[in-house]
Amino acid sequence: MRLLRIDSSARTSSVTRQLTAAFTDAWRRANPDGELLERDLSRTPLPVITDDWSATFGDPAKVTAAQQEYLSTSDTLTAELLAADLIVIGAPMYNFTISWPLKAWIDQVVRLGKTVAYGPSGPRGLLNGKKAIVVTSRGGSYTAEFNAPNFDFQETYLRRILGFMGVEDVTFIHAENQRRGDQAEQARTAAIGQIGRLAAATQRQPEAAD
Ligand SMILES: Cc1cc2nc3c(=O)[nH]c(=O)nc-3n(C[C@H](O)[C@H](O)[C@H](O)COP(=O)(O)O)c2cc1C
């Protein structure tokens, strides 16, 4: 099994990094032979979309050397995603949605012919069979009890864009209330507990003997 860990907070005190690390550690214990790839988006130069992006939907034979060079980051990030069975994404909430490095990564990996295809019945995701776990951190709370779900453009967007690429099996674990004093630690502890259980459940069961 191959796990791709994606971090998108640049803060050294990042909560989402603690959560992706907790997942990775527990996953390693459950899958000692598994392969782990770590992609830290805060340390990855992420290109902006320019005219050269049109090379991703044009004739491959006409891609220039400059366009190939421009697309090399996208090629690398897309290959990492294609190679993974499981993806764990650390997503801080900024202004009700995701951080810009995570959005920039999405712009690099939504690739025609690689992660999404268009057919007679519209778009079709090509990443079927992969699972994702998204761990988020938020200053406030967006659960129904606080009547704030309409402001949560983070889970809504990530579910939609991962589904667009064919990743339908997505589990969210939220560490909420991180700006609410003593509720913060309680929420982190609860999230880490959930993460540990989820990671342990990824352990591959031995094949049944005939
Ligand atoms: C620029 C900025 C915008 C933020 N916007 C929100 C927000 O809209 N809603 C919220 O609940 N928390 C918000 N927060 C709080 C963060 O979600 C919280 O600090 C979280 O722990 C960040 O993730 P990290 O610890 O992994 O960096 C914001 C924080 C910053 C720095």
Side-chain angles (χ1 to χ4, degrees):
M1 184 192 272
R2 289 199 189 107
L3 171 66
L4 172 62
R5 167 184 171 179
I6 294 173
D7 285 301
S8 66
S9 170
R11 296 183 339 116
T12 49
S13 59
S14 162
V15 175
T16 53
R17 279 174 187 275
Q18 285 174 42
L19 301 182
T20 51
F23 183 89
T24 306
D25 290 348
W27 178 85
R28 269 193 211 273
R29 284 194 294 277
N31 299 276
D33 300 328
E35 273 179 59
L36 170 67
L37 181 66
E38 295 178 286
R39 171 57 65 183
D40 183 348
L41 298 178
S42 76
R43 292 168 184 269
T44 304
L46 293 157
V48 293
I49 301 298
T50 64
D51 293 332
D52 284 334
W53 187 256
S54 61
T56 64
F57 41 83
D59 179 353
K62 293 191 178 150
V63 176
T64 65
Q67 285 171 330
Q68 246 166 30
E69 170 64 21
Y70 168 74
L71 290 177
S72 60
T73 302
S74 170
D75 289 342
T76 302
L77 298 177
T78 305
E80 290 172 1
L81 183 56
L82 287 167
D85 304 298
L86 180 64
I87 306 134
V88 61
I89 300 175
M93 178 183 269
Y94 288 154
N95 300 310
F96 310 119
T97 187
I98 59 176
S99 63
W100 71 257
L102 186 54
K103 176 60 168 58
W105 175 79
I106 289 168
D107 291 343
Q108 296 295 312
V109 299
V110 177
R111 281 282 298 266
L112 201 61
K114 290 180 187 273
T115 58
V116 67
Y118 279 82
S121 50
R124 182 170 53 89
L126 300 177
L127 300 184
N128 313 90
K130 298 184 193 300
K131 293 182 182 186
I133 289 148
V134 181
V135 293
T136 80
S137 176
R138 297 137 167 223
S141 176
Y142 295 80
T143 49
E145 66 183 301
F146 287 92
N147 201 25
N150 290 346
F151 283 86
D152 181 0
F153 296 93
Q154 185 191 36
E155 176 167 344
T156 327
Y157 175 65
L158 286 172
R159 262 194 202 288
R160 188 56 64 96
I161 197 68
L162 289 167
F164 183 68
M165 290 188 282
V167 186
E168 301 286 354
D169 187 340
V170 185
T171 305
F172 278 80
I173 296 177
H174 301 292
E176 296 201 303
N177 293 320
Q178 292 307 301
R179 291 267 173 90
R180 290 197 173 130
D182 55 0
Q183 293 181 52
E185 194 181 337
Q186 205 186 332
R188 277 199 305 278
T189 306
I192 287 171
Q194 263 182 287
I195 284 168
R197 289 189 289 280
L198 203 59
T202 64
Q203 186 165 23
R204 191 160 283 174
Q205 299 302 316
E207 303 278 323
D210 289 333

